[in-house]
Amino acid sequence: MTVTITPATELDAVFGGVDSHADTIHVAVITDRGGHVADAEFPTTAAGYAAAIAFLNAHGTVTAVGVEGTSSYGLGFTRAARQASLTVIEVNRPDKAERRRIAKSDPIDAYPAARAALSGRASVIPKETTPSAAYAPSTTPPGPPSKPAPPP
């Protein structure tokens, strides 16, 4: 019997996980069965986001990317991934007790983010956070002026 091992670059479907920080993001890649493929750290710059997306795509067809902090430290990566036509899933940070039990590290946080996207436990698509969407003027006309309070 012959056993064939598929190299990571030939995987069909992979999932990504991102642990985001102010200066870096840590990206993990897993198979569609949850097996660890690779992980790496990138700077939180346009070039870093592009390199992270290339890293994900180098390991197979990216089905979805679970990102922690899509509206804070992960916002830059979230925007870049959407521009690259990747599906981004918002992932909650692990609870503090779990993080203390297994020790805090960026790969430890990035892999569960990928598994959350794979399992469907995380399924929220982050809301649009472009400046035009966040600061768009209201289209609702103002209501009638309020009446002054009656005298005492």
Side-chain angles (χ1 to χ4, degrees):
M1 179 169 144
T2 304
V3 176
T4 304
I5 298 174
T6 305
T9 55
E10 295 179 18
L11 295 172
D12 291 335
V14 295
F15 288 79
V18 176
D19 181 31
S20 57
H21 301 280
D23 299 322
T24 62
I25 58 172
H26 201 97
V27 179
V29 182
I30 63 171
T31 67
D32 59 354
R33 293 182 180 212
H36 291 204
V37 175
D39 64 86
E41 188 172 86
F42 301 92
T44 55
T45 61
Y49 299 143
I53 291 166
F55 173 77
L56 286 165
N57 287 322
H59 291 92
T61 302
V62 180
T63 303
V65 182
V67 180
E68 290 184 359
T70 58
S71 61
S72 59
Y73 291 139
L75 179 59
F77 177 81
T78 297
R79 287 180 178 162
R82 283 180 164 168
Q83 287 179 338
S85 300
L86 295 179
T87 299
V88 177
I89 306 294
E90 187 170 357
V91 174
N92 291 331
R93 296 194 186 278
D95 71 358
K96 290 181 182 180
E98 177 71 10
R99 290 172 66 170
R100 277 192 300 270
R101 186 179 65 75
I102 59 174
K104 164 70 177 123
S105 81
D106 297 336
I108 286 175
D109 286 348
Y111 280 109
R115 284 193 299 276
L118 165 65
S119 69
R121 186 180 41 136
S123 59
V124 174
I125 304 295
K127 62 185 171 188
E128 184 61 41
T129 55
T130 61
S132 61
Y135 301 107
S138 173
T139 57
T140 306
S146 60
K147 295 180 184 178

